[in-house]
Amino acid sequence: MTDERQPPPAREASASARADEVWGYELKAEYLPVPAPFPDEPPALPAVKAGWSARLAERKEKVSGDWMPHVGRFLAVGIGGLATFLSTALPAVVQGWITAVLLVVTVLLAYVAVRPFAITAIGDRRYKRWRRKLLREQQAVVEQTRDWTRRRMEHDRQTGGQPEDEAWVPLKPATTQRVDVYGGDPAGAQRLLRSVAGSLLEAGGTVQVVDLAQDGVCHGLVQESIARGRPVQASLLPSDLNTVGLLDHLSSEDVAGVLSEAVHAFERDTSGGGGAGDKALDAALLEQVCRCLRGGLTFARINAAVQVVMYQVPRPVVLERDEYDALVDLLGEGARRAAEGRLVRLAGALNTLAALENKPPTVTRQPAQLTVWELSERVNDMQRDLLGNIVLQVLLHRIRQSETAAPGSRVVVVVGADRFRRQQLETLDQLARRRNIRLVLFFKHLREDAVDVLGGGDAVMFMRLGNAREAEHAATFIGKHHKLVLNQISVSESSSASTTQSRSTNESESDQESVSTGKQWARNRNYHVGVIMDFPHDSGSRNTGENRSTTKGKSTSFSTGTSDSEQTGTSTSESVSMSRVYEYAVEPTLLQSLSSTAFVLVDPRDPGSPRLGDAGVEAPLLPHPPQR
């Protein structure tokens, strides 16, 4: 599948590559502009005053109750009325005042009996009058509220602008170097590859896809590119090994390095063997063998040369006479025996590659804007691992020998990067950065070496990860953050009404009486001495008296007091409880439940990261949202 049209120059494409690049689409939610605040306050309802309702309720509670008291009251009224009627038959002397007394008593009893029912009826009528008055007062406030609402809506319409509906907007990483894609099923990876590579090809860039996943991820991109008339070079490995020409334009030293690295990686993955010394020995042996070959280097010719060196077999048809003679004399007997173990291993790997390279070239290679190397699903596990390592080493060599490209003009996509070790992927990333080649790595799973290289690039995309451990690895990489979580909302409302009534009567009376009686008596006696005789005699005065007084008094005091108090209250309380937690920014369950084409883009250069996008949205059906 080729096209002879030449791709556009790389430097002309680099200017628009980033502008037209689309990896997927992000759904922007409905945007509602915030209007300027309305200056007028809403009208308030008038205060409701109904203190009498508490008093009325208290009275109803007092008079209401069991029916027996009401029966007793009406029975007393009947007895009083009967007594009044019978009193009219008494003699006229006493009949008048007895009848009057009985009539007054009967009227009082009738008042007591009818009072409970009268209070209820009067309270209901008063409540209806109060309610009608309140509605009349609130009707004016309702009209004012309607006018206030109309003015506020008009203010919001003039100052807020028109809301924008939700829309899909293009999404791409902010980085221009390496992007790692983890997870997803073949259908989702195929749609994402079509979106990414298709937009880059549309912008004029060149894309090389190495599909080792054996899931046909690149088929949709190839078909779309052919339908759009782009130059495409698609090769299915190992059927098109000769067409691809993996060893073309490689020196003996380069071929020896490619094969030794591939065989060493293959042995390490399968048996855990193969050290640095073995790899150096393999490279030295293969380089000497390749130097003996004068023509082009293919897997079949190198395999035949190793067979000649190891077993001294007759000349194969793929080797010339001078090449055969040089190979026979390449190693002495002692050197051959010392290197026999490594030669056997190399011969086994080369024999496998030579068996795959059994078809002549079907088409002539032409420069193409899209180059695809796809590994067939028909090869067995050993062929898959060995050929995959060969393809990676050839890709590394070609990138190493290429010139520095304009930024964004060349992209290399490796699908099924899970099968490579961390060191191999880091070497690929290092070479791509030196040559300004954008690198996109698709990993089917997030485990083993894929976990070690996570975050080694710039941006990371996570598609659906069904495995719980892989989803947790991804959520841990995305990170955690502090956020406030609403724990509880409680609303309580209480009303209370209380009425207190007290009456006090004080009466005091005092009576006092005092009586006092007294007597007074006084006598004076004088003595005189004479010359002739001496005798006493009385002289002076004698007083006698008596007095008596009596006091009586009485005092009386009387006081009566009444006090009433009424309390009515309503309280409303609202409480919101929130806690600060440190949780995943993206939960693992979200990564496990993504749709086939959805992804989470994590880019350290994007302030809005992480972002949720979808590669399955068709661009022609998308609205064009305004720039925000």
Side-chain angles (χ1 to χ4, degrees):
M1 295 177 290
T2 60
D3 196 322
E4 297 183 356
R5 292 180 295 174
Q6 298 294 329
R11 294 192 178 276
E12 295 180 4
S14 62
S16 59
R18 287 292 296 166
D20 300 332
E21 182 181 340
V22 177
W23 288 62
Y25 292 88
E26 180 185 14
L27 182 62
K28 291 293 187 180
E30 181 180 0
Y31 174 71
L32 296 176
V34 180
F38 189 57
D40 298 341
E41 294 292 333
L45 291 173
V48 178
K49 298 180 180 179
W52 56 268
S53 59
R55 296 191 297 272
L56 179 62
E58 181 186 3
R59 293 172 182 173
K60 282 186 176 182
E61 184 178 0
K62 290 182 178 180
V63 300
S64 62
D66 194 9
W67 58 273
M68 287 299 297
H70 300 290
V71 174
R73 296 188 187 99
F74 282 103
L75 183 61
V77 172
I79 294 174
L82 179 61
T84 303
F85 175 75
L86 294 178
S87 65
T88 56
L90 295 175
V93 179
V94 295
Q95 182 265 338
W97 63 271
I98 293 178
T99 302
V101 171
L102 291 176
L103 181 62
V104 171
V105 172
T106 302
V107 171
L108 292 176
L109 292 175
Y111 169 76
V112 173
V114 177
R115 183 173 178 272
F117 305 97
I119 289 178
T120 302
I122 294 172
D124 293 339
R125 287 196 299 271
R126 184 175 181 183
Y127 171 76
K128 292 179 181 179
R129 290 196 304 271
W130 171 80
R131 185 172 180 273
R132 288 194 297 269
K133 179 181 178 182
L134 181 63
L135 291 178
R136 285 195 301 270
E137 293 177 352
Q138 292 182 350
Q139 185 63 31
V141 181
V142 171
E143 296 297 332
Q144 296 174 5
T145 304
R146 291 175 180 173
D147 180 68
W148 179 86
T149 304
R150 179 187 57 78
R151 290 186 289 108
R152 179 175 179 177
M153 293 179 61
E154 181 67 19
H155 173 268
D156 293 345
R157 186 184 63 82
Q158 294 178 356
T159 60
Q162 297 296 326
E164 301 175 3
D165 297 332
E166 61 181 18
W168 292 92
V169 296
L171 180 63
K172 63 184 178 182
T175 179
T176 58
Q177 291 296 328
R178 172 181 157 189
V179 179
D180 297 339
V181 182
Y182 293 90
D185 54 13
Q190 183 182 39
R191 190 65 187 88
L192 179 61
L193 180 62
R194 285 179 56 190
S195 178
V196 176
S199 63
L200 294 173
L201 292 172
E202 191 71 26
T206 58
V207 178
Q208 181 175 4
V209 180
V210 180
D211 186 0
L212 306 177
Q214 297 180 298
D215 290 326
V217 175
C218 62
H219 291 175
L221 175 63
V222 172
Q223 295 172 2
E224 181 182 0
S225 299
I226 293 176
R228 291 178 178 268
R230 300 191 184 105
V232 177
Q233 172 98 35
S235 303
L236 182 64
L237 303 179
S239 301
D240 297 331
L241 270 177
N242 288 324
T243 303
V244 173
L246 295 177
L247 303 182
D248 292 353
H249 310 294
L250 296 182
S251 64
S252 300
E253 182 181 1
D254 296 334
V255 172
V258 168
L259 293 177
S260 61
E261 288 282 354
V263 173
H264 173 72
F266 171 72
E267 291 182 350
R268 183 182 57 185
D269 294 337
T270 55
S271 62
D278 294 336
K279 183 170 65 173
L281 180 59
D282 293 344
L285 289 173
L286 288 174
E287 183 178 356
Q288 294 181 32
V289 171
C290 293
R291 289 183 183 279
C292 296
L293 302 179
R294 306 291 185 266
L297 297 176
T298 62
F299 294 120
R301 283 168 53 79
I302 298 174
N303 178 51
V306 172
Q307 296 290 335
V308 171
V309 172
M310 183 174 57
Y311 299 115
Q312 299 291 313
V313 297
R315 183 177 67 85
V317 296
V318 296
L319 298 179
E320 301 295 336
R321 171 57 63 178
D322 56 344
E323 295 174 341
Y324 178 75
D325 295 338
L327 291 169
V328 170
D329 299 333
L330 180 62
L331 298 178
E333 186 65 22
R336 185 183 299 110
R337 289 184 181 277
E340 185 177 2
R342 296 308 308 166
L343 287 173
V344 170
R345 294 183 179 90
L346 291 175
L350 289 169
N351 189 44
T352 301
L353 295 172
L356 299 175
E357 193 184 42
N358 57 2
K359 292 183 180 180
T362 55
V363 294
T364 304
R365 286 181 296 160
Q366 298 290 340
Q369 188 181 6
L370 174 62
T371 303
V372 178
W373 295 349
E374 180 188 2
L375 184 61
S376 174
E377 73 278 1
R378 297 182 181 274
V379 298
N380 56 41
D381 294 344
M382 184 181 67
Q383 294 173 342
R384 178 198 63 194
D385 295 338
L386 183 58
L387 190 56
N389 283 285
I390 290 291
V391 169
L392 177 64
Q393 295 302 322
V394 172
L395 179 63
L396 290 173
H397 177 77
R398 293 192 178 184
I399 293 177
R400 188 181 291 112
Q401 299 300 323
S402 64
E403 296 182 357
T404 303
S409 63
R410 185 180 175 188
V411 180
V412 173
V413 181
V414 180
V415 182
D418 310 66
R419 64 183 72 257
F420 302 126
R421 292 298 184 96
R422 175 182 57 82
Q423 184 178 2
Q424 295 173 302
L425 296 175
E426 290 176 350
T427 303
L428 178 61
D429 177 49
Q430 182 181 11
L431 292 175
R433 290 178 184 273
R434 289 180 179 178
R435 298 294 181 267
N436 274 340
I437 298 175
R438 193 167 192 186
L439 183 62
V440 182
L441 302 178
F442 280 77
F443 296 87
K444 191 172 183 179
H445 297 282
L446 182 56
R447 59 194 179 195
E448 299 175 353
D449 288 281
V451 179
D452 295 337
V453 300
L454 178 61
D458 295 325
V460 178
M461 298 177 65
F462 294 105
M463 303 189 77
R464 183 169 57 197
L465 294 167
N467 184 273
R469 185 182 298 273
E470 296 179 11
E472 187 172 357
H473 281 312
T476 303
F477 172 78
I478 295 173
K480 298 181 179 181
H481 61 179
H482 290 95
K483 61 182 178 181
L484 294 177
V485 177
L486 181 63
N487 289 339
Q488 183 180 3
I489 298 178
S490 60
V491 179
S492 62
E493 183 174 353
S494 61
S495 300
S496 62
S498 62
T499 301
T500 303
Q501 187 175 21
S502 63
R503 292 181 175 84
S504 61
T505 302
N506 297 323
E507 182 175 356
S508 63
E509 183 177 355
S510 63
D511 190 0
Q512 62 182 2
E513 180 178 357
S514 62
V515 178
S516 61
T517 303
K519 292 182 178 181
Q520 295 180 353
W521 180 83
R523 180 182 177 183
N524 295 325
R525 192 171 191 178
N526 298 323
Y527 291 88
H528 298 273
V529 178
V531 174
I532 298 178
M533 58 181 58
D534 184 8
F535 60 95
H537 62 277
D538 294 330
S539 64
S541 63
R542 181 178 182 183
N543 297 324
T544 301
E546 181 179 355
N547 56 26
R548 181 183 182 90
S549 64
T550 302
T551 303
K552 293 183 178 181
K554 183 178 181 180
S555 64
T556 303
S557 65
F558 180 83
S559 64
T560 302
T562 303
S563 63
D564 295 331
S565 65
E566 179 181 339
Q567 295 180 352
T568 302
T570 301
S571 63
T572 302
S573 64
E574 298 181 3
S575 64
V576 178
S577 174
M578 304 186 72
S579 61
R580 186 172 180 259
V581 297
Y582 189 62
E583 294 181 346
Y584 287 118
V586 177
E587 291 293 335
T589 53
L590 173 63
L591 298 171
Q592 292 180 277
S593 60
L594 290 174
S595 64
S596 177
T597 56
F599 59 85
V600 176
L601 175 60
V602 183
D603 193 340
R605 299 185 182 181
D606 183 6
S609 176
R611 296 181 181 271
L612 179 63
D614 198 315
V617 182
E618 296 295 336
L621 302 179
L622 296 176
H624 297 281
Q627 296 294 329
R628 298 176 186 166

